[in-house]
Amino acid sequence: MNESRITLYLQLIGVFAPLSLLSFGGGQSIIADIHKQSVDVFHWVTQAQFVDLFAISRAAPGPGALFTTLIGWHVGGWMGALVASLSLFVPSSILAYAVARMWNRHGDKPWFSQIQRALIPLACGLILAGAYAVLSSSSGGISIWVIALVAAALFMKFDKINPLPTLFVAGVVQALVRAWL
Amino acid sequence: MERPENPTCAELFLTFAKASATGFGGVLPFARRMIVEEKRWLSEEEFADLFAFCQFIPGANVVNLAICIGARYRGPMGAIAGALGMLVPPMLVILLLGAFYVQFGDLPLAKGVMRGLGAAAAGLVVSVALRLGLTFRAKASYLFAALAFGAIALWRIPLITMLAVLAPASIGWQWVVRRK
């Protein structure tokens, strides 16, 4: 293994392992930071590739945080995918395991719901920042923002529907808009 | 409700693998059906409780869920089996899609579809945030949410700095309000 590969793996670990422990509210809270690190700081992906990889990760099954796997794969092949995934999932998983043991005893304590209630607004702001990072990176023009707004309203109104059909309809709509305008 | 036998590590892996591999558009509803209705590992209330906890701690919510349930039945090995079940199948699917993207991603049609799909997916993320907003009980919560958004999206403050300042502030504020 040559030196530049090792440097890359260390950079992937250095970016994703800390984010793993900061992802309160799930993988969606750290989209904005993943964007900043992988596009602006390390240039692993371009703006356009970032948006595309995000789209792929949302169209695929599984947790949305697998987005990280794709970025690792894009910049470092199979090993990159493995290193990025392990960096993102192992630290938070070890923490979850440790805290889960505590939760059995403290789950119904008032301080738990107090802290939870205090962190929800921060998760809310972070998740919005993630959506903003994706939309402002996209080169699709005004139709991108309209599609996002309509989709958000739709998913707000019907919270139980499977999002996948809507995502694909949106893809076709955007393709048609680009073909005609 | 009649409790089933404690599942083995293999059963934990296979159950979560099935939920994650079929969970297009979000694993949660598939995992819930599997855990509550088919396997009866948790009651409806236990599931809601546990999931609230899994959202609260860092990490992907459904992975945390698999770890908690795996750990409950089989300790550390069960937790690993659950997490791998939740991650490995979708990882293979996503890499396959990534390979397609490299092959066809430059076609103009594919580009348009990807942009639209990504935009709607961002809309889905927005709806998750807005739904969290509906649970706010105080006006100050909106202020904290706006500050968190501004810090990251507009002022580009590092995530850890933002959390180091706003998390204690928000927790402290909750504490003060409750004492009154």
Side-chain angles (χ1 to χ4, degrees), chain A residues 16-105:
Chain A
F16 290 124
L19 284 181
S20 174
L21 295 173
L22 297 177
S23 58
F24 290 98
Q28 330 190 61
S29 309
I30 52 171
I31 294 170
D33 245 61
I34 293 177
H35 172 259
K36 186 161 89 180
Q37 300 290 338
S38 57
V39 178
D40 300 339
V41 178
F42 289 103
H43 310 290
W44 290 328
V45 291
T46 65
Q47 296 273 16
Q49 286 164 343
F50 175 86
V51 180
D52 288 350
L53 296 181
F54 171 80
I56 294 174
S57 73
R58 295 287 146 158
L66 286 173
F67 179 33
T68 314
T69 306
L70 274 179
I71 292 181
W73 176 75
H74 192 268
V75 69
W78 292 98
M79 271 303 284
L82 193 66
V83 171
S85 311
L86 290 176
S87 306
L88 190 75
F89 287 109
V90 170
S92 66
S93 295
I94 291 174
L95 184 72
Y97 182 78
V99 186
R101 309 239 117 179
M102 261 170 56
W103 180 76
N104 288 334
R105 283 174 278 139

Side-chain angles (χ1 to χ4, degrees), chain A residues 102-114 116, chain B residues 49-50 53 178:
Chain A
M102 261 170 56
W103 180 76
N104 288 334
R105 283 174 278 139
H106 296 295
D108 50 357
K109 299 283 195 296
W111 64 263
F112 171 77
S113 64
Q114 287 276 308
Q116 189 174 26
Chain B
D49 260 15
L50 186 60
F53 169 75
R178 211 183 129 85

